[in-house]
Amino acid sequence: MSFSGENIICFAGEDWWYHNPHSNLHIMQSFAKNNRVLFVNSIGVQAPGLGEGRYILKKIWGKFLSLMRYLKKAESNIYVFTPLALPQIVRWQRAVQRINKALLLIQLRIVLKVLKFERPVLWVCLPTFKDIAIALKKDAKCLVYYCVDNIAHYNGVLNPYIAELETVLQRNADVSFFVNHDLAEKAKAVYPSTFHLGHGVDYEHFSKAQSGMLPKPGDLEMIKGPIVGYIGALVHLDYELVKFLAKKNRDISFVFIGNVQGDISAIKNEQNVYFLGKKDYDQLPNYLQEMTCLSIFYATDNVFGQYRNPKKLLEYLASGKPIVSVPIMELKYFQGLITVAEDYEAFDRAIHEAISLDTLQKKNNRIQYAKDHTWDQVSSEAAVHMAASMK
């Protein structure tokens, strides 16, 4: 079915300006080739906590800079809007939700009039946008709920209020997408217009790591190989696993790229563990190129961790490098492409096998999978279901 000439409002779970590109951003860039997009920056599901350390200051500063832009054209056919909204303070969530509904509706209606966005498609990622989306639905072509995480369990435990918002949002959605197969199946049993929509990859960008010809980042010059690498937000990770591996393998360097969120005191003094901070999106292939093996160190002792579907996995695959991961449910759909280690000792063995026993055929299989799962392909799949649901 054709999907073009539409006005799409994306209520995102991230910030266009200060996050590296997330799935919403990639999908909206794809949609923007034939449609207009208003990307509404995240209002969050909870206020930043003191446990996030120095990262909280970066977060606040990033949000301030986004607010200074307020409404700005970012790319062809894409406008980015950072609404004024109260932080999602957990103990006052219901009151905050009511106030934010009023604040956002006033701002959005002005923005939509300025941009001449009529009869929009509503793409909602965060349950905290529920009231806004339902209020706008009567004048919209369709309401889409796009779920990338088991968000009600973000801190590892159930937040009943967020779960309630999510339930109401899905009940009102014309179509729902889940990046996790198991969550999609559970939801589909109640809401038939629910579909699995996996992550894609910016293959052209991340495949540059295959060449071996990219400049080596300066902060890797003094780090000895082999390197086991991790790229992404450093939150909800199993640092005890990292500590175990680092102590057992002093000849291997463990390199982390991303903002540190939370306490890393247990391992920050390990001499072969390196935290290099967040890097520009353009530089990520340079770091992937220098890594021998790539890893996923998610904590799996909670519901949130078990239902994750790492966007980084497709980016890892595009680099061609071998991958070792902790066991999470979604990875059963990637058999033959990565090694899933059931415990610490198995992870240790898998790293050594990835470093010394990888083959060209395995590498080519990883690369081919990434080639077959670009963001354009993901957005085309979503568009079929959206077009079918339009009023």
Side-chain angles (χ1 to χ4, degrees):
M1 284 189 179
S2 174
F3 189 79
S4 61
E6 303 294 345
N7 294 316
I8 304 170
I9 306 176
C10 172
F11 295 96
E14 56 278 337
D15 189 290
W16 179 282
W17 303 115
Y18 73 86
H19 285 124
N20 274 341
H22 284 226
S23 52
N24 280 297
L25 186 148
H26 287 295
I27 292 172
M28 292 305 131
Q29 285 180 321
S30 184
F31 281 153
K33 295 174 182 179
N34 298 296
N35 305 275
R36 290 201 305 160
V37 173
L38 174 64
F39 190 97
V40 182
N41 280 334
S42 173
I43 59 172
V45 293
Q46 64 180 30
L50 295 177
E52 296 182 54
R54 287 182 296 176
Y55 177 68
I56 187 176
L57 299 177
K58 295 180 181 179
K59 206 169 184 179
I60 292 171
W61 180 244
K63 180 58 70 176
F64 173 76
L65 294 178
S66 292
L67 282 168
M68 291 301 96
R69 293 182 171 101
Y70 197 59
L71 176 64
K72 186 178 178 66
K73 188 172 184 178
E75 297 179 4
S76 177
N77 284 338
I78 300 180
Y79 299 85
V80 177
F81 172 50
T82 307
L84 288 165
L86 296 181
Q88 302 288 328
I89 301 171
V90 172
R91 68 174 65 180
W92 298 328
Q93 276 183 313
R94 294 183 186 276
V96 168
Q97 187 75 5
R98 289 193 295 271
I99 295 170
N100 279 345
K101 177 184 178 182
L103 281 174
L104 267 65
L105 279 176
I106 291 170
Q107 296 173 77
L108 267 172
R109 283 175 173 148
I110 293 172
V111 169
L112 295 180
K113 183 167 285 191
V114 169
L115 297 179
K116 298 181 180 178
F117 263 55
E118 297 177 352
R119 297 274 290 151
V121 172
L122 308 176
W123 177 283
V124 185
C125 183
L126 283 188
T128 44
F129 279 121
K130 180 267 293 183
D131 289 339
I132 312 303
I134 292 175
L136 295 175
K137 184 183 177 183
K138 66 179 184 298
D139 297 318
K141 285 192 174 180
C142 75
L143 170 58
V144 178
Y145 176 44
Y146 176 59
C147 179
V148 297
D149 280 309
N150 195 345
I151 194 68
H153 290 82
Y154 180 69
N155 282 325
V157 295
L158 177 65
N159 182 326
Y161 182 61
I162 297 299
E164 176 188 326
L165 294 181
E166 185 175 40
T167 298
V168 176
L169 179 58
Q170 190 166 4
R171 186 186 305 136
N172 282 272
D174 297 297
V175 60
S176 296
F177 299 120
F178 286 76
V179 303
N180 179 280
H181 280 87
D182 294 272
L183 285 178
E185 287 304 312
K186 289 181 181 179
K188 194 174 185 66
V190 182
Y191 307 103
S193 58
T194 299
F195 305 93
H196 171 260
L197 186 72
H199 286 308
V201 64
D202 182 354
Y203 180 78
E204 183 178 349
H205 181 60
F206 286 98
S207 64
K208 295 173 185 175
Q210 301 170 22
S211 70
M213 303 297 291
L214 299 175
K216 185 175 184 177
D219 51 3
L220 288 180
E221 288 288 351
M222 302 302 293
I223 297 177
K224 296 180 180 179
I227 294 175
V228 173
Y230 176 96
I231 293 180
L234 305 182
V235 59
H236 303 302
L237 300 190
D238 186 350
Y239 289 122
E240 288 301 318
L241 168 59
V242 179
K243 184 177 181 179
F244 170 84
L245 296 170
K247 285 184 176 298
K248 194 166 184 178
N249 299 280
R250 292 302 187 187
D251 58 333
I252 296 176
S253 297
F254 296 85
V255 174
F256 292 82
I257 306 296
N259 279 323
V260 176
Q261 302 176 44
D263 184 13
I264 59 169
S265 58
I267 58 169
K268 69 178 181 181
N269 293 323
E270 297 295 334
Q271 295 184 352
N272 56 335
V273 178
Y274 303 86
F275 293 93
L276 303 186
K278 180 182 176 182
K279 304 301 177 183
D280 288 342
Y281 184 71
D282 289 346
Q283 289 296 306
L284 296 182
N286 300 61
Y287 285 89
L288 287 169
Q289 173 185 273
E290 301 302 322
M291 293 171 177
T292 316
C293 170
L294 301 170
S295 57
I296 297 173
F297 290 120
Y298 291 161
T300 60
D301 59 353
N302 60 75
V303 174
F304 179 78
Q306 278 296 328
Y307 281 97
R308 296 177 82 171
N309 180 356
K311 183 177 75 72
K312 66 173 61 59
L313 178 56
L314 274 293
E315 297 164 355
Y316 285 0
L317 290 170
S319 76
K321 300 298 176 76
I323 304 161
V324 181
S325 175
V326 297
I328 55 177
M329 290 188 289
E330 190 67 15
L331 299 188
K332 62 191 173 191
Y333 297 96
F334 294 87
Q335 290 183 10
L337 297 171
I338 67 175
T339 301
V340 176
E342 296 295 333
D343 55 41
Y344 286 13
E345 292 288 352
F347 207 113
D348 178 56
R349 291 193 299 272
I351 284 175
H352 285 276
E353 291 174 5
I355 290 171
S356 60
L357 299 176
D358 195 37
T359 67
L360 181 60
Q361 183 60 56
K362 290 179 180 178
K363 178 180 179 179
N364 289 338
N365 289 344
R366 293 189 289 265
I367 291 171
Q368 188 59 52
Y369 187 93
K371 282 183 179 179
D372 293 340
H373 292 81
T374 66
W375 287 114
D376 280 346
Q377 290 163 320
V378 170
S379 63
S380 294
E381 182 181 346
V384 170
H385 297 296
M386 292 161 66
S389 72
M390 284 188 181
K391 304 168 185 176

